[in-house]
Structure formats: C-alpha cells, structure tokens
Amino acid sequence: MAGGAACHYLSIMSEIVIEVEHLYKSYADTMAVQDLSFRVTAQQCHAFLGPNGAGKTTAMKVLYGKAKPDDHPETRINVLGYDPRLQELKIKTLSGVVPQEDNLDLELNVQQNLQIFSKFYNLSRAHAQRQIDYLLEFMELTEKRKSQVRELSGGMKRRLIIARSLLNNPSLLIMDEPTTGLDPQVRQLIWDKLRELMRGGVTILLSTHYMEEAYQIADVLTIMDKGRKIMEGAPRELLESQVEGHVLEVTDLEYSDQFESAMDGSPFRKEQSSQRAIYYAADGSALEQAAGHIPRESFIMRKSNLEDLFLRATGRHLNEGQ
Ligand code: ADP
C-alpha cells in the first residue's frame, strides 16, 4: 500500500499542467515571443524572469487566451488539458489570473468587487459569500471588507486581485508581476501566501523582474530576453552551475588594474560597466587576498546571485534600455 501511495504521489508530482512547444507571437514588426517551449509541473512555481519587453506578459496572455499566437505549424499549447486557441473558457474556469495592471472596479468596495466577479463563475450566493469570507481572511483583508477600492494602498489592491483570482478555487494561478512596486513587507506576505497555495495543490506560473522573488519562490526559472528563452532550471542549480560562487566589485575603477595584478594569475572572470568592474571567481580567498592590496572603500565583496546569472546569460545589464 505504501508503494501505491508513493506511486500516486509521484504521478501527481510529475503531472504536467502547462506544456508549450514552439510558441511564436508577433505584433506588427515586433517578435514578442520567439520559439518558446517550456513545461510546468503540478504544484510547482515556475517563474519567467526577464527585463521589460522580454515577452513574459505576451507568453502568459497566450496561455489564458488573451493574446492569439502566430499561426505556426509546430506550435503546441496545452493548459490543464486544453488549448487556449480553442478552449479559452475551459481554461478560465479552472485557472486564476492576476494581471499586471490593477483592474479592480474603483466604484465598488472590496467585498463588492469579489461579489461581482463570483457571478462570472456562477457560484451560488451562499457559496460565493463563504468563499469571499475565506479569501478576505486568507489575504488579510477582512477589516477592509467595506472599504472603497480607491482608498486601498497598492499592496491591498494587489492582495484583493489575488483574492479575486482564487474565487473559483483554481488549480493553476497565472500571475503577471504580482509584487511589482510593493514594499518588502507586502512582498514577503504575498510570497508566504503563494507558498501556502502551492502546499494546497495549486500550480503557479508567474513573471517577475525581481531576482529575489524568483530565488525565493520559484522551483523552476525560465530566463527570457528579447522574446526568447535563454536559460532554464532550478534557481540554485542554475546559479551553481553557471556562475562562480564569489564576487568582488571594484567600485572605484582607479583601482581595478592594481586589483587584477594582485590576483597574481589566480583565475577570474570580469564584467565591466562604466561605474564598476565585477570580478567572479570560484576561489573566494584569492579575491579576498587581492582585495587586501586596494583601499577598503574601493570594493564590495559578496556571494554571487541571480543578477549575476542574468548578466552572464544575457551579456548585459538588466536595466539597459529600459
Ligand atoms: P514583458 O512582459 O517581458 O515586459 P511584453 O510581453 O509585455 O514583455 O512585451 C514583449 C514585446 O512585445 C515588447 O517589445 C512590447 O513592446 C511588445 N508588445 C507587447 N504587447 C503589445 C501590443 N499589444 N501591441 C504591440 N506590441 C506589443
């Protein structure tokens, strides 16, 4: 019996909730998404990470039927067993969407926003009310139940949109930059709630340009740039396999030559911007030793992070041209 339970567990764990192959989407002259393929496994959080314009929103919109992909013979899209090109409504019934913009009804209060939305799902009045009470509690908005939406802070609006996306008990949540512009406390709260939802069986696809967000909650990361996938994997594994563990940033470029000669042949990789030189090395002690030869205030030493991975993957700084 125990083996059977384990098998069942394994089959749930490996169930594919989203499968996309060779997705293309163009707008006039812009190729917003180019040959994108990826899979999302049940109960995992899969994050699209990339700068503005990378194609994250467009890819998500295709999945829930808001954007039509290009006609391409190789394109295959399967979301919860349905093709959004043909069965958009089925997908809408089974999933929840948190769009990038705050598209709440400003004329209504918090509770009314949820009530109106519950009508789209044909929930009975009593069922809707129970669900609304539960979701207001879950997103810590119960005290704001009667507040007008326009009086809410940015973080409260986001939490209300997340509550709204959960009205139909979705098994898949598609979230476009759910925490952009929020302060760290609200962001942490939302991450906790997302983790709780995943423990309860929900699968999450989200987009973000916060490295920290991807690192904190994503099981799998797809790094996108200019419409293409450029890397994919578990955040920690990607980091370990693609980027040296130790980083020293020389913030006063006057000292970069001195630092390099103090490295004395020890291997390093260098990224340079107009403001600083960034040195990557597997051996942190070599960086530390060489740093002893330049003034303390001319460098910062740290562990590598996803931003370094992104730099390596795209060969450019995140904020270039944004
Ligand atoms: P991201 O979500 O990563 O910021 P988007 O998917 O919003 O990226 O955009 C990808 C590219 O497609 C950008 O160059 C953007 O200007 C373009 N784009 C997105 N939506 C439209 C649209 N409705 N009409 C024309 N171009 C669009």
Side-chain angles (χ1 to χ4, degrees), residues 73-286:
E74 287 179 71
T75 302
R76 280 193 57 229
I77 313 170
N78 185 324
V79 180
L80 295 162
Y82 299 100
D83 184 335
R85 291 169 291 186
L86 306 168
Q87 296 146 307
E88 180 190 335
L89 265 179
K90 291 271 188 200
I91 295 170
K92 283 217 169 102
T93 313
L94 298 170
S95 58
V97 174
V98 175
Q100 203 175 112
E101 66 282 6
D102 287 340
N103 60 350
L104 294 159
D105 194 327
L106 295 179
E107 302 309 314
L108 301 178
N109 70 25
V110 166
Q111 175 166 258
Q112 288 163 337
N113 261 277
L114 297 177
Q115 281 164 341
I116 290 276
F117 223 75
S118 69
K119 296 202 164 68
F120 297 134
Y121 298 117
N122 281 331
L123 304 185
S124 73
R125 202 179 241 271
H127 180 188
Q129 202 48 57
R130 275 198 306 277
Q131 186 73 344
I132 290 168
D133 290 347
Y134 169 73
L135 290 172
L136 287 176
E137 197 64 39
F138 180 65
M139 289 314 291
E140 301 182 21
L141 284 169
T142 301
E143 281 164 26
K144 297 286 167 188
R145 171 190 291 275
K146 292 271 162 56
S147 302
Q148 290 301 122
V149 165
R150 69 166 71 83
E151 292 161 14
L152 301 181
S153 67
M156 289 172 192
K157 285 188 191 138
R158 283 271 99 188
R159 273 145 60 201
L160 179 55
I161 291 174
I162 296 174
R164 192 184 66 181
S165 76
L166 295 169
L167 276 167
N168 56 335
N169 266 329
S171 56
L172 169 67
L173 263 187
I174 300 178
M175 316 180 91
D176 197 357
E177 300 192 7
T179 64
T180 293
L182 303 183
D183 60 42
Q185 287 84 349
V186 183
R187 195 173 296 161
Q188 295 279 351
L189 177 105
I190 290 179
W191 293 344
D192 284 345
K193 299 299 174 187
L194 298 187
R195 288 190 194 101
E196 206 173 323
L197 288 168
M198 282 192 280
R199 280 197 298 275
V202 177
T203 305
I204 298 178
L205 175 68
L206 64 79
S207 70
T208 182
H209 49 234
Y210 294 122
M211 310 290 165
E212 178 66 9
E213 181 152 275
Y215 205 75
Q216 284 277 338
I217 59 171
D219 299 293
V220 181
L221 190 61
T222 294
I223 300 186
M224 290 182 68
D225 194 26
K226 299 179 186 135
R228 292 188 179 276
K229 171 165 98 179
I230 47 177
M231 232 179 233
E232 187 172 84
R236 280 168 189 77
E237 285 168 21
L238 276 180
L239 197 53
E240 278 164 22
S241 65
Q242 303 290 329
V243 186
E244 303 84 343
H246 301 273
V247 186
L248 189 134
E249 296 187 22
V250 174
T251 49
D252 185 343
L253 285 175
E254 199 183 313
Y255 295 103
S256 61
D257 286 346
Q258 203 174 324
F259 173 78
E260 280 172 39
S261 46
M263 281 297 280
D264 200 22
S266 193
F268 65 83
R269 181 171 61 85
K270 180 182 177 185
E271 302 261 3
Q272 170 105 39
S273 75
S274 58
Q275 305 294 324
R276 55 196 176 142
I278 310 177
Y279 297 92
Y280 296 91
D283 180 2
S285 58

Side-chain angles (χ1 to χ4, degrees), residues 25-33 48-61 67 100 176-177 207-209 224-227:
K25 170 68 185 172
S26 49
Y27 292 105
D29 294 339
T30 310
M31 278 303 284
V33 176
F48 286 156
L49 178 69
N52 284 335
K56 307 180 297 293
T57 301
T58 304
M60 293 180 138
K61 282 183 173 168
Q100 203 175 112
D176 197 357
E177 300 192 7
S207 70
T208 182
H209 49 234
M224 290 182 68
D225 194 26
K226 299 179 186 135

